[in-house]
Amino acid sequence: MSVDGLGRCVMVVPTYNESENLAWVVGRLRAAQPGVDVMVVDDNSPDGTGELADRLAAADPAISVVHRTEKAGLGAAYLHGFDVALRAGYDVVGEMDADGSHQPEQLERLLDALRSADLVIGSRYVPGGSVVNWPLRRLLLSRGGNLYVRLLLGMRVKDATAGYRVFRRTTLEAIDLASVRSTGYVFQTDLAHRTVARGLRVTEVPIDFVERERGDSKMSGQVAGESLRMITRWGLSQRWSQLRGRS
């Protein structure tokens, strides 16, 4: 299916044990944006999410399912889905969580902004954006992490860790997905940084991020720590390259 002025669009939705949320989220997405396809990428969920996705796809030709054999990280699931989407000829490829934290009814904001951008990020931290039902500690960790990204990588993006976004096909082709090695949550920062580094247009639009009501969060202190370590390595490497270039 297609969206006027943008061409064929698909939202890639990675899943691992999201049987409580998947049908609810996909149903809202299909109702909010009938012209947008949905691709569920399931990492062999033991709770039957993959089988549920198959049933949804059997009932709606706009829904497809990619089955992976193992849980290898959020970034790995997205890279697999992006590859399938690009080979299928989609003009716009988006990301969206399966747990209900991203509101499908707000996808219109991202698609409208993409008409004059190469990547649009649904941001919690621009005027009009919000985070609902997060404990203060997690909010401070997220805001602090994004500030650290801006300072270390020199990006103006306010919410580089956000996972609600839409890319033009040409953007994904320009940022060399084959060389991406980040597989966890730092994947989002990696792709935003690659887009900025290539001089492409990144726009942020406000969204309301609502903490999941059902199921377990995949975020942990260990995951956050690994993300910060990788960002530190990238930032120091970037600074070193800049210094060498001036010498």
Side-chain angles (χ1 to χ4, degrees), residues 24-45:
W24 170 60
V25 169
V26 170
R28 288 171 59 195
L29 177 55
R30 294 289 295 123
Q33 291 292 335
V36 175
D37 290 347
V38 181
M39 180 191 301
V40 178
V41 181
D42 185 64
D43 274 4
N44 197 25
S45 299

Side-chain angles (χ1 to χ4, degrees), residues 233-247:
R233 287 199 296 270
W234 295 340
L236 294 176
S237 175
Q238 181 174 292
R239 293 290 186 269
W240 176 244
S241 297
Q242 291 171 346
L243 288 172
R244 291 183 63 186
R246 294 171 185 166
S247 61

Side-chain angles (χ1 to χ4, degrees), residues 124-165:
R124 299 161 288 187
Y125 305 132
V126 297
S130 71
V131 176
V132 180
N133 293 334
W134 260 13
L136 180 61
R137 180 179 178 278
R138 187 169 179 188
L139 181 61
L140 291 175
L141 179 65
S142 176
R143 281 190 169 276
N146 274 287
L147 176 60
Y148 189 69
V149 166
R150 290 198 300 277
L151 293 173
L152 207 61
L153 300 183
M155 291 200 303
R156 296 182 179 179
V157 177
K158 296 290 183 64
D159 198 355
T161 61
Y164 199 8
R165 51 179 71 184

Side-chain angles (χ1 to χ4, degrees), residues 11 28-29 31-33 95-96 100-113 120-124 128-132 164-166 205-210:
M11 294 301 291
R28 288 171 59 195
L29 177 55
Q33 291 292 335
E95 304 179 19
M96 182 177 168
S101 57
H102 298 144
Q103 309 309 296
E105 296 78 14
Q106 295 180 343
L107 178 56
E108 183 178 6
R109 301 179 186 180
L110 281 70
L111 294 173
D112 284 347
V120 177
I121 297 174
S123 176
R124 299 161 288 187
S130 71
V131 176
V132 180
Y164 199 8
R165 51 179 71 184
V166 288
V205 298
I207 61 154
D208 300 308
F209 182 95
V210 181

Side-chain angles (χ1 to χ4, degrees), residues 64-224:
S64 61
V65 186
V66 174
H67 292 282
R68 291 165 50 79
T69 58
E70 62 179 348
K71 187 176 186 292
L74 183 70
Y78 271 130
L79 287 172
H80 193 158
F82 289 172
D83 180 62
V84 173
L86 292 174
R87 286 191 284 109
Y90 282 102
D91 303 295
V92 174
V93 183
E95 304 179 19
M96 182 177 168
D97 288 350
D99 61 9
S101 57
H102 298 144
Q103 309 309 296
E105 296 78 14
Q106 295 180 343
L107 178 56
E108 183 178 6
R109 301 179 186 180
L110 281 70
L111 294 173
D112 284 347
L114 192 64
R115 300 177 193 281
S116 58
D118 299 299
L119 162 62
V120 177
I121 297 174
S123 176
R124 299 161 288 187
Y125 305 132
V126 297
S130 71
V131 176
V132 180
N133 293 334
W134 260 13
L136 180 61
R137 180 179 178 278
R138 187 169 179 188
L139 181 61
L140 291 175
L141 179 65
S142 176
R143 281 190 169 276
N146 274 287
L147 176 60
Y148 189 69
V149 166
R150 290 198 300 277
L151 293 173
L152 207 61
L153 300 183
M155 291 200 303
R156 296 182 179 179
V157 177
K158 296 290 183 64
D159 198 355
T161 61
Y164 199 8
R165 51 179 71 184
V166 288
F167 297 86
R168 288 184 179 273
R169 174 190 188 88
T170 50
T171 304
L172 292 177
E173 291 173 337
I175 61 178
D176 189 18
L177 293 176
S179 69
V180 175
R181 295 292 177 264
S182 51
T183 59
Y185 281 81
V186 74
F187 170 83
Q188 308 293 11
T189 302
D190 190 355
L191 264 59
H193 184 232
R194 286 167 179 259
T195 303
V196 170
R198 281 157 181 77
L200 300 175
R201 296 164 296 175
V202 178
T203 298
E204 292 182 272
V205 298
I207 61 154
D208 300 308
F209 182 95
V210 181
E211 175 65 350
R212 66 162 67 233
E213 298 176 4
R214 297 169 290 195
D216 298 321
S217 172
K218 312 303 188 297
M219 176 58 76
S220 67
Q222 181 180 357
V223 170

